[in-house]
Amino acid sequence: MNKMATGRIDVHGHLLPRVDDGCATVDDSLACGRMLRAAGYTHAFCTPHVWPHLPHNTVAEIALRVRELQSAFDEADIGITLLPGGEINLLSSWPKLRMLPRGEIATYALANKYVLFDFWADDWRDCAPAIEAGIDYLQSLGLTLICAHPERIKALQQPQALLGLTDRGVLLQLNAWCLMEPADSILYQTAVRW
């Protein structure tokens, strides 16, 4: 019986070079991979931004880029398995998201089960109708939604707004670095609360 490697799994990273505001070069990606491995990670999801202004970040392109980066990781003997995914900006993608075939929606491991999303807004009242409609639509496809770094989204720093998402079955993904912020910062306080 084969044992699966034990270790940490990074579920949200911008490791793919030259596709968004993450790693700029393959060398940067390798350096990040080495840091992840040194911290005990064995797997990392590559979740580039899937935003309307980044039209090349499609499911097919992400899969190709992950394979290419995995080859570079293997050649450098980093020891991390890379998996494809994406981070959908639900606010800027709605309602055009409805036009995508289900298989073109970026999901974790491209397995059509879990969708990582974010959005940027200052006030929940300004974005609630679009976010709620997008959530309803994606859930109607049988997808489980995960809100990326809610502690960083100003509109979700109001507890009732975030409770509204979790009451809808949305899972949360925390950026661990937010726990390193000063204790009096809103990022730290929100991260600790959730």
Side-chain angles (χ1 to χ4, degrees), residues 175-189:
N175 279 4
W177 65 263
C178 291
L179 296 171
M180 303 297 289
E181 291 289 308
D184 62 346
S185 78
I186 191 70
L187 283 178
Y188 176 84
Q189 292 171 5

Side-chain angles (χ1 to χ4, degrees), residues 30-46:
L30 295 174
C32 287
R34 287 184 184 99
M35 287 188 283
L36 285 169
R37 189 65 192 132
Y41 288 85
T42 58
H43 294 73
F45 281 93
C46 297

Side-chain angles (χ1 to χ4, degrees), residues 10 13-17 23 25-38 41-46 65-83:
D10 183 0
H14 295 274
L15 288 172
L16 295 179
C23 292
T25 66
V26 172
D27 286 340
D28 291 339
S29 301
L30 295 174
C32 287
R34 287 184 184 99
M35 287 188 283
L36 285 169
R37 189 65 192 132
Y41 288 85
T42 58
H43 294 73
F45 281 93
C46 297
R65 298 263 187 159
V66 168
R67 286 191 302 272
E68 291 171 350
L69 187 57
Q70 183 69 66
S71 293
F73 270 48
D74 293 346
E75 187 175 314
D77 197 28
I78 292 178
I80 289 185
T81 299
L82 300 176
L83 301 157

Side-chain angles (χ1 to χ4, degrees), residues 91-104:
L91 188 57
S92 64
S93 297
W94 187 258
K96 291 180 182 175
L97 186 61
R98 289 184 298 197
M99 294 181 237
L100 282 179
R102 190 174 190 275
E104 291 297 315

